[in-house]
Structure formats: C-alpha cells, structure tokens
Amino acid sequence: MSAIVWEEGNKCPHADCTGHIIIDYPDGGCSCHINAPCNRCTSSFLVCDTCGDEEPEDETPYVPIMAYRSIGGGISELYCKNPSKDLGNGKRIYDYDYDSSSGSTMAYQGKYEGPVTAQEIIDALGDGTFGHRGPYLFGDKARGSFTYTKITD
C-alpha cells in the first residue's frame, strides 16, 4: 500500500510534476451485467492531469485467519475464522462462524454483501436434518449481518 495519499484535487505526488490529481473514468469496459462488480468498476480512477500517473492499486490479498477450537475429549480442530462464500452476481457471505455447543443445533452468525436472500444463505450453508430457524438478515440490501440456526438432532 502506498504511503502517498491520493485524493482528488491534491498536487501530483511526483516532485518534478506540477499537475493535480483528477478522477478520469475510462470509456467502456464495464462487465457488471455479467458479474458485478467488475474489475473496471472496482479500480481506482485517480490520475494526474499533467503526467498521467495513476494511483497504484491496493494489492492486499485475502488471507484467511485459521484457529483451533476444542471439539471435546481434549481434541481440537483447525477451522477458518473468517470464511467467505461467493454467491454469484456480486453477492457473498463472509466472516461467519457457528456455535454447536447445544449439541442439537448449529447457530451461524456472519455478514453479507449484496442483495442476499434467506434462501441463498440456506443453499450456501445447507439445511439442518430437522429444518432450520431463519436466516434472519439485519441491515440493508447492500450489506449487513445474518443469523441462521440449523436443527441437527
């Protein structure tokens, strides 16, 4: 990640340039109608109006956080603390985990992004052997959190 702050109206970060940073949207190339959001629409459009230098992309990769949890009898299992499932069309659920301490249910809590429906969460996480409660969505159509309980026994 760059230490230079790229913001519209600021002076160009290059010492030998007298230009200013502007927003310059490229023509065409949007494929959000196929799979939103597309690379063009998530890219930076900040450029210098004189030298044409562009803001560098943030190249921070997604790295799952792994941890151990006890499953009883002195045995632990490795699990992903912040999993993510792409549901297609710009929708996903992420940072979800479940609590199965009751023995007969798996209570999921997590976050969603995009216009996710309750049925899509059931399809992604599966239905319980004896049904489910929820999922309940909290937030707006763009993002929020959810709870979902699978009844297993």
Side-chain angles (χ1 to χ4, degrees):
M1 186 163 187
S2 176
I4 299 169
V5 177
W6 282 75
E7 189 173 304
E8 184 181 20
N10 282 1
K11 187 178 178 319
C12 180
H14 294 289
D16 57 342
C17 183
T18 60
H20 290 84
I21 298 172
I22 61 168
I23 296 178
D24 183 26
Y25 296 101
D27 294 332
C30 175
S31 61
C32 283
H33 63 286
I34 298 169
N35 190 11
C38 69
N39 191 32
R40 176 202 176 269
C41 293
T42 58
S43 297
S44 173
F45 300 115
L46 295 174
V47 298
C48 175
D49 61 358
T50 304
C51 70
D53 191 31
E54 298 177 358
E55 177 184 25
E57 293 287 334
D58 185 7
E59 304 266 338
T60 307
Y62 171 78
V63 179
I65 299 171
M66 303 301 286
Y68 283 99
R69 67 174 155 215
S70 174
I71 57 173
I75 301 171
S76 296
E77 69 178 354
L78 187 64
Y79 76 105
C80 182
K81 285 183 73 172
N82 61 342
S84 178
K85 282 193 186 226
D86 184 9
L87 304 176
N89 296 325
K91 301 182 256 187
R92 71 180 182 124
I93 58 174
Y94 63 100
D95 287 349
Y96 60 89
D97 195 8
Y98 67 90
D99 176 16
S100 61
S101 60
S102 77
S104 62
T105 62
M106 294 174 69
Y108 286 88
Q109 290 186 328
K111 298 176 184 174
Y112 69 88
E113 199 170 66
V116 174
T117 64
Q119 187 60 47
E120 289 171 323
I121 293 174
I122 294 169
D123 293 343
L125 300 177
D127 201 354
T129 307
F130 296 101
H132 60 270
R133 287 192 297 265
Y136 303 105
L137 305 173
F138 307 98
D140 57 25
K141 289 187 178 193
R143 67 182 46 216
S145 61
F146 72 91
T147 60
Y148 171 52
T149 304
K150 294 185 345 182
I151 304 170
T152 57
D153 287 336

